[in-house]
Amino acid sequence: GALANGAFAGVSPDGTLYVTSAHMLANLFSIIGPRAGGPGAVGGATAGLFETATGTAVAGSDIAAGAMMAMFSPDSAHIAFTDLAIDTGRGIAVMDFDMAQRKASGYRQIYATGDAARYPGWPFYLPDNNALVFTIGAAPDFSGLGVGVIAGSPVIGAPVTDLFFVDVVGG
């Protein structure tokens, strides 16, 4: 069956594993983490590692519980993600990943906004594994804040979102 927090999963380059996104209900009106299924839809509280073919959870993977929008490096040796544990989703972390052992280790925070109104998200490894590109936006659910496009009309209410790069080794 479908996983409650299976949306926006990070799939390993070989397609055998995926990491789900954590979510947090901050209050009745605020969700921290990417939503699936529209307003009010919240997935599981913690991230996890799963087998793609069966949907079976991989026990003892040590994936950070607050991982959101995880991304494997092209060589599968690392995972990058926005982490709920960094100022409630305002930072990016990386971990080493051993495909044979199916285990993460070496947690390192590499970026934090230091700003209550800015959320870094959607980290993506560059092909050489040495840097990440990511966005910084204003929405705690990492959305476009309800931006809509109506046929024949301009985009309404588009939020500011910028792209950033960060060196994985040096931060």
Side-chain angles (χ1 to χ4, degrees):
L3 291 174
N5 58 341
F8 305 110
V11 180
S12 64
D14 69 0
T16 61
L17 299 170
Y18 63 94
V19 178
T20 59
S21 280
H23 298 80
M24 184 178 91
L25 187 59
N27 59 52
L28 288 175
F29 306 103
S30 180
I31 294 170
I32 300 175
R35 298 190 240 196
V42 181
T46 61
L49 182 68
F50 294 83
E51 295 176 347
T52 305
T54 64
T56 303
V58 176
S61 69
D62 292 338
I63 296 292
M68 299 181 290
M69 302 162 285
M71 173 71 178
F72 282 86
S73 63
D75 66 0
S76 301
H78 310 283
I79 300 174
F81 50 90
T82 298
D83 193 355
L84 275 171
I86 303 171
D87 195 17
T88 320
R90 292 178 183 88
I92 293 179
V94 295
M95 295 183 80
D96 300 323
F97 190 76
D98 183 326
M99 280 294 288
Q101 298 295 318
R102 302 181 345 167
K103 192 170 191 73
S105 63
Y107 178 96
R108 299 176 305 284
Q109 176 181 320
I110 62 167
Y111 181 81
T113 64
D115 184 339
R118 295 167 36 111
Y119 293 87
W122 313 107
F124 188 87
Y125 274 96
L126 295 183
D128 66 2
N129 302 324
N130 293 324
L132 295 171
V133 61
F134 59 96
T135 67
I136 293 183
D141 65 356
F142 303 92
S143 72
L145 293 171
V147 168
V149 176
I150 299 171
S153 299
V155 174
I156 301 168
V160 173
T161 301
D162 294 316
L163 285 177
F164 290 80
F165 288 89
V166 65
D167 177 63
V168 173
V169 175

